[in-house]
């Protein structure tokens, strides 16, 4: 597979890189960003995945969150995939919350989405092998985090791949997508109207069915304008029971990258603590 480096920017003595490749799984060209901390050629590195939210690309987190300082200080690599398949031949929707930029990180089963929208397989099988090859001394240890739709993706994927990820975290995640408008719209389009098929992609259903889960940290701003309708936590926390879920409500914070930038150091430290165990 040909992987082309498009950009490299020094950031806190590490390298913020951007790559391009053709994805056989998604049947389209894709980009992703990778941060390698200082002295990455000499040190063994663990890897944290970041999944972005609706309408975003890999650039949003790399350019707005300021995560690079914490990643450099903690000597950890960070991979930022795109949020969906891309290109003129990839199906899309007129709405901003479906289609390009809105994959919900699942494997679609319905036309016209099924040919390209196989993001779960892309993120669990194809892209990891590319990323591992770009880290000179990969430790084999990984964690995952994300925001909004990407928070849904991070928790869902972390629960489904719980032997792979040491820890999971999220900012303002969609915790019960089968019960809220964003998730219902996407799941109906990508998976069909049979709601029983939705449950394998719903974090509330997954955590209820899973006995042992990685530690999960969630930060939710209480001034988030999507909170009441799209991001309610009650059913998820009820399903989690006494599992290691740390849910933090932050008064005055909203859905923006200002919130992410405020708490990203705490999240990276949370992951590093688990990765070192």
């Amino acid at each position: 597979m040909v992987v082309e480096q498009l950009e490299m920017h020094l950031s806190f003595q590490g390298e913020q890189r951007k790559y391009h490749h053709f994805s056989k799984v998604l049947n389209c060209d894709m980009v992703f960003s990778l941060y390698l901390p200082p002295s990455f050629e000499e040190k063994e590195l663990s890897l944290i995945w970041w999944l972005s939210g609706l309408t975003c690309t890999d650039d949003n987190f790399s350019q707005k969150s300021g995560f690079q300082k914490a990643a450099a200080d903690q000597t950890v690599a960070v991979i930022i995939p795109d949020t969906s398949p891309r290109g003129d031949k990839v199906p899309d929707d007129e709405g901003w919350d479906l289609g390009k930029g809105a994959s919900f990180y699942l494997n679609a089963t319905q036309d016209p989405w099924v040919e390209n929208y196989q993001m779960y397989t892309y993120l669990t099988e194809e892209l990891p092998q590319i990323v591992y090859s770009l880290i000179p001394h990969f430790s084999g240890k990984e964690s995952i985090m994300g925001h909004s739709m990407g928070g849904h993706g991070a928790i869902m994927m972390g629960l489904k791949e719980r032997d792979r990820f040491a820890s999971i975290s999220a900012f303002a995640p969609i915790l019960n997508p089968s019960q809220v408008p964003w998730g219902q719209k996407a799941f109906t389009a990508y998976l069909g109207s049979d709601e029983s098929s939705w449950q394998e992609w719903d974090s509330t259903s997954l955590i209820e069915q899973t006995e042992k889960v990685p530690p999960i940290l969630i930060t939710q701003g209480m001034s988030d304008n999507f909170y009441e309708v799209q991001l309610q936590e009650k059913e998820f926390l009820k399903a989690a029971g006494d599992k290691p879920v740390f849910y933090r409500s932050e008064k005055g914070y909203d859905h923006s990258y200002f919130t992410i930038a405020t708490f990203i150091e705490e999240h990276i430290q949370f992951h590093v603590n688990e990765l070192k165990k």
Side-chain angles (χ1 to χ4, degrees):
M1 181 181 292
V2 177
V3 180
E4 178 188 6
Q5 182 173 315
L6 301 176
E7 299 178 17
M8 194 284 283
H9 308 278
L10 282 179
S11 183
F12 296 96
Q13 303 305 311
E15 295 187 5
Q16 182 64 63
R17 300 177 176 183
K18 189 180 184 76
Y19 291 94
H20 165 270
H21 74 106
F22 179 81
S23 168
K24 293 182 179 179
V25 170
L26 304 179
N27 194 28
C28 65
D29 291 314
M30 293 294 289
V31 296
F32 64 91
S33 292
L34 174 67
Y35 181 74
L36 296 172
S39 304
F40 67 87
E41 294 179 338
E42 305 166 7
K43 298 180 179 179
E44 186 176 71
L45 299 179
S46 295
L47 178 65
I48 300 176
W49 291 73
W50 171 272
L51 303 185
S52 298
L54 289 165
T55 74
C56 292
T57 69
D58 55 308
D59 289 337
N60 295 77
F61 185 66
S62 69
Q63 296 177 13
K64 293 182 178 181
S65 71
F67 81 89
Q68 290 90 348
K69 183 179 187 303
D73 290 344
Q74 297 293 341
T75 317
V76 65
V78 178
I79 166 66
I80 315 164
D82 202 349
T83 50
S84 76
R86 300 285 179 177
D88 294 339
K89 297 181 180 179
V90 172
D92 200 7
D93 186 82
E94 291 182 359
W96 60 273
D97 52 358
L98 185 69
K100 294 177 187 177
S103 72
F104 275 76
Y105 300 105
L106 48 72
N107 285 341
T109 60
Q110 305 298 302
D111 290 330
W113 315 101
V114 63
E115 180 179 352
N116 302 102
Y117 285 73
Q118 302 295 314
M119 283 293 288
Y120 185 81
T121 298
Y122 173 67
L123 294 174
T124 58
E125 297 181 15
E126 185 177 32
L127 186 57
Q129 297 309 312
I130 297 172
V131 176
Y132 300 159
S133 72
L134 298 172
I135 301 173
H137 306 289
F138 176 46
S139 70
K141 295 181 178 182
E142 300 174 89
S143 290
I144 190 166
M145 60 181 174
H147 171 231
S148 194
M149 178 190 72
H152 144 74
I155 296 173
M156 175 270 290
M157 192 175 300
L159 291 172
K160 289 170 74 72
E161 303 280 326
R162 55 193 174 276
D163 293 331
R164 172 182 168 190
F165 296 110
S167 52
I168 304 165
S169 79
F171 293 85
I174 307 169
L175 290 168
N176 199 184
S178 65
Q179 301 301 314
V180 301
W182 277 343
Q184 290 169 339
K185 179 178 180 178
F187 284 8
T188 300
Y190 297 141
L191 304 172
S193 58
D194 180 3
E195 295 186 17
S196 65
S197 68
W198 299 1
Q199 300 312 305
E200 68 170 303
W201 308 106
D202 188 301
S203 294
T204 296
S205 178
L206 288 169
I207 200 166
E208 184 175 34
Q209 298 170 25
T210 306
E211 289 187 12
K212 187 176 181 180
V213 305
I216 301 172
L217 172 64
I218 297 171
T219 297
Q220 175 63 59
M222 289 295 98
S223 292
D224 187 326
N225 59 326
F226 298 115
Y227 171 66
E228 292 292 343
V229 175
Q230 307 283 5
L231 310 174
Q232 275 287 336
E233 79 283 4
K234 294 178 182 178
E235 292 303 315
F236 177 82
L237 295 179
K238 180 180 177 181
D242 60 358
K243 298 180 177 88
V245 176
F246 308 97
Y247 186 90
R248 298 185 179 172
S249 303
E250 299 293 348
K251 184 178 179 180
Y253 285 91
D254 58 21
H255 201 73
S256 72
Y257 269 81
F258 293 108
T259 300
I260 295 171
T262 300
F263 297 102
I264 191 63
E265 183 176 357
E266 177 183 343
H267 279 242
I268 289 178
Q269 184 66 65
F270 167 77
H271 290 300
V272 169
N273 289 346
E274 297 299 325
L275 289 164
K276 286 181 176 179
K277 290 183 179 178

